[in-house]
Amino acid sequence: MKKTLIIIIPIFVVIILLMIAAGAAAPKKLDWSPTYKTYDKIPLGLYVFNEESKSLFSNHEITKFSSSAYEYLDADYNYEKNQYNKTGSYLKIDYTNTIDAESANELLNYANHGNTVMLSMTNFPDIITDTLHLQTNYFEKQDTVQLYVQNKKISKYEYSLATSGVYFDSIHPVKDSITILGYQKTKDTLVPNFIEAKFGQGRILLHTEPAAFSNYYMLKDNNYKYVQDVASKIPVGQLIWQTGNGAGDDDRGVLSYFLSKPAFRAFFWLALIALFIFIFFNARRRQRVVPILPPVPNTTIDFTKTIGNLYFQEKNHHTIIAKKIIYFLEHVRTEYLIDTYELNEVFIERMHQKTGKPVEDIERAVLLIKKHRNNFTSTEADVIAINNAIEKLRL
C-alpha cells in the first residue's frame, strides 16, 4: 500500500501543477457577463464604481443592502406616523429588472413620501412605467453610441460596447411632471434615455444605460465624468443602495471567491479527487500480514504409529495382538458398558444387541481373541487376521 501511495501522490501533484501552469499560460478570455455586482472586476461589474462611490457621493451617507426593497423599506416605515423614519434616496443598478411587484409598489410609496428613487437598467417594473405613462423602445446596435447629459452645458460621451440601445419612446408628461435629463444619439436623432418624474412629494429617476457605471467604462477615457453628471442628479442626503436581489445575494465567502478563479477551481476539484482516492485506498483496516501456521500435529497418533512400527519391525507380533485386544475390550467396557471378564455366549448376545453388528462377526472376533490372548508364538498373519476382525466391527 505504501508503494502504491508513493506512486499515486506524485502523479497527482504533477497533474495539478500542470493544470495550474496551463491555466496561467492560456490566454484569458474577458467575461462580458452583465453581472453588475459590486465585487466583480469583469468589464460589466461594478467594482470600480463601488470603490469610487465614496468620492462620487462624498456628501451622502451611504447604506448598502442586499435584501429586497420591500423588506428593507417596509422595516423602516412607521405605520403610526404614516412616514418613513429616514428620508433619502434609493439606488439600484442592474442589467435588467429584478425588482418584484411588492418591491416596485414599495418604491412608489417611498417616492410618494418625498424620497428619490434612482433606477439604472434596460427595462423597468411595469407598475412604475404604467404609473408614469412611459414606454421604451430600442434601436439597432451601432458601432458607437453617444450619451449626453443635459446640464448647464451639454456634455457628450462615446460608448461602443455592451450598450442596450434602450430609450424612452413615448413620454406623456402630466403638468410638466417629467423632465428629460439625458439623451443618446441614434443615427442623427437624439432620444431620451435619462428622465426625472415627479411623483407625490418625491421623484423617480430612470436611466436606460447601466453599462455606463461598469468597470469598463469607468476606466475608459473620461467616461467617468458621465457617471459623475448622472450621480449629481441624486439629491444629497441618505443614500440606500441595493446591491443584490435577495437576502445575502451580494455576500460571498472565501470559498466562492476562490472558486470563481479557473486555476483555483481546477486545483480545488483535483484536490478533492485526490483526497477521495487516498481515503478509498486507505479506508480498509490496516494490519500486519498474519503468517499461515500449520495445525498442531496429533502427537498421540504419531507416537502410536511409531511404537506400532517398532513392534512390527522387531517381529513382536504377540505384543501387538495383546495391545489390540486390551484396547478393544477397554472400548467395549467404556462405550457399551458390557462386562468383558468372560467372553461367552452372553457377551456375544449383549454385543449384538447394543451394537447391532452381525453375530458372525462378533463370534469371529471373540474366537481370535480367545485364541491369541495367551498364545506367545503369534505370526504376522495372526496380527492381520485379528486386526481385520476387530476393524470389521467398526466400533
Side-chain angles (χ1 to χ4, degrees), residues 135-158:
Q135 290 182 3
T136 59
N137 203 344
Y138 65 93
F139 54 82
E140 295 181 3
K141 188 174 182 180
Q142 301 181 43
D143 293 336
T144 302
V145 176
Q146 296 175 345
L147 301 184
Y148 299 83
V149 176
Q150 188 169 354
N151 43 30
K152 293 181 180 179
K153 61 178 182 178
I154 296 179
S155 303
K156 179 180 72 172
Y157 304 89
E158 291 191 352

Side-chain angles (χ1 to χ4, degrees), residues 307-342:
I307 298 301
N309 290 333
L310 179 62
Y311 284 134
F312 188 76
Q313 290 173 4
E314 294 293 328
K315 299 186 182 299
N316 198 344
H317 302 130
H318 171 72
T319 303
I320 296 175
I321 292 174
K323 299 292 185 185
K324 256 305 199 185
I325 293 172
I326 291 172
Y327 295 145
F328 172 72
L329 296 179
E330 175 65 22
H331 179 71
V332 170
R333 287 193 298 272
T334 56
E335 188 70 22
Y336 299 101
L337 304 177
I338 301 174
D339 186 11
T340 60
Y341 182 74
E342 291 186 10

Side-chain angles (χ1 to χ4, degrees), residues 30-31 33 35-48 51 214-216 219 252 257 260-261:
L30 279 177
D31 183 4
S33 302
T35 63
Y36 292 96
K37 300 298 183 185
T38 55
Y39 52 75
D40 275 338
K41 297 182 180 180
I42 58 177
L44 297 182
L46 296 180
Y47 179 81
V48 176
E51 292 295 310
S214 66
N215 298 326
Y216 179 77
L219 299 175
R252 294 200 308 173
Y257 172 78
S260 66
K261 308 300 179 183

